[in-house]
Amino acid sequence: STELLCPSTVRLDRENICAIGRLQTLQEIQSLYLQQNQIEKIENLSCFPNLRFLSLAGNRIRRVENLRPLQHLRFLDLSHNQIQALDPAELPHSLRLLNLTGNKCTHQHGYRELVLGALPHLLQLDTQPVCGSMEEEEEEEEEEEEGGSSSSEDKDEESPSEPSHPFTAGKDFFADLEQDLARHSQQRRREAVEEHWNRLEELEELWERRDLLLPPAPL
């Protein structure tokens, strides 16, 4: 997907990252991929004030926290972490799609009702569409088209730039996303294997030339 190569996207998945470090403010970053790492805490994301897409799936996160400052966040994937209990108040109200599958918090009493009550604009929860939300979204889009006089600033607020599909997603969004991530994972594995064999060839070449590299033995 060419969208995944856009400059407004940062991919740090499968890099054995243990913590989200403090970075300089990166206003332009809108999509951040941190899945399949060793991250234990959600922190220091205020460096990305315009973040709209965040993937933290497959880490070691135990608690949902420090996300409220991300006022433009539309997509959040926290699936397959170690979240025991969820406080919906910690989630940004701007969310449209949320995935918490694979966490024990999804089994707590009244989980779905609590989340939907805290996130009025949510379109999809744990890969399942929110009843009535798609119709409401379509009605809002029709009203915007009929209005036609809204300012460009308002349009920018409601129209995500990159990636475009996460925030206008239909029922097949998560399947498409998983395919994108799988392709990226396969590509990284191929690159790692290729690099491994290249290094082996370099070592073999050095071994063959060891007599030229080593100093002459004393007589």
Side-chain angles (χ1 to χ4, degrees), residues 145-197:
E145 291 176 359
E146 291 174 359
S149 58
S150 59
S151 65
S152 59
E153 183 176 341
D154 292 336
K155 291 180 180 179
D156 291 341
E157 177 66 22
E158 294 299 326
S159 302
S161 56
E162 191 287 328
S164 59
H165 52 71
F167 316 118
T168 56
K171 62 181 180 180
D172 296 327
F173 165 68
F174 280 101
D176 294 340
L177 176 63
E178 289 177 0
Q179 291 177 4
D180 285 338
L181 297 181
R183 283 194 293 268
H184 179 69
S185 175
Q186 292 172 0
Q187 177 64 25
R188 291 176 68 85
R189 284 197 292 268
R190 285 195 295 268
E191 291 174 354
V193 170
E194 184 178 351
E195 181 180 0
H196 172 71
W197 285 112

Side-chain angles (χ1 to χ4, degrees), residues 61 80 99 105 166 187 208 215:
I61 296 168
H80 303 291
N99 191 0
C105 67
Q187 177 64 25
E208 292 174 355

